[in-house]
Amino acid sequence: MKFKITIEKDDDGRYVAECLDLPGCLSEGETLEEAIENINEAIIGCLKSRLKTAGEKLKIPFFDRRLDISIDLIGNSYAQASTG
């Protein structure tokens, strides 16, 4: 996956990185390399957290047929039964 990030130098000389595709996903570093490494870790953490939250909100009824599930990482999820 590719994510858009911005990196700016703040008034204290630290690099602040933000993932534009994941609102609220921010990190920083003393060097540009450290900021990039830290934002990569932050992106992974954000994705894991959102997947966990989506899984907790998912209500799966019992079906004796095939169950197709679609999860939207923005926060909406639904389950749909289909014959299989």
Side-chain angles (χ1 to χ4, degrees):
M1 294 181 97
K2 293 183 180 182
F3 295 96
K4 294 178 187 174
I5 63 170
T6 61
I7 301 177
E8 297 178 353
K9 205 169 190 180
D10 68 10
D11 293 338
D12 296 327
R14 295 184 60 82
Y15 292 88
V16 179
E18 178 179 7
C19 179
L20 302 177
D21 297 316
L22 298 169
C25 186
L26 300 163
S27 193
E28 64 178 352
E30 289 186 30
T31 65
L32 181 59
E33 293 79 14
E34 183 180 10
I36 291 170
E37 182 179 328
N38 291 344
I39 195 64
N40 282 325
E41 291 176 15
I43 289 169
I44 291 168
C46 285
L47 291 174
K48 284 182 179 180
S49 175
R50 289 174 189 214
L51 284 172
K52 181 180 177 187
T53 300
E56 291 170 355
K57 291 181 180 180
L58 186 63
K59 296 177 185 170
I60 302 176
F62 176 76
F63 290 99
D64 58 352
R65 299 182 200 174
R66 181 175 156 188
L67 181 65
D68 293 326
I69 299 174
S70 175
I71 298 176
D72 178 353
L73 295 180
I74 295 174
N76 302 317
S77 61
Y78 65 92
Q80 177 181 357
S82 63
T83 58

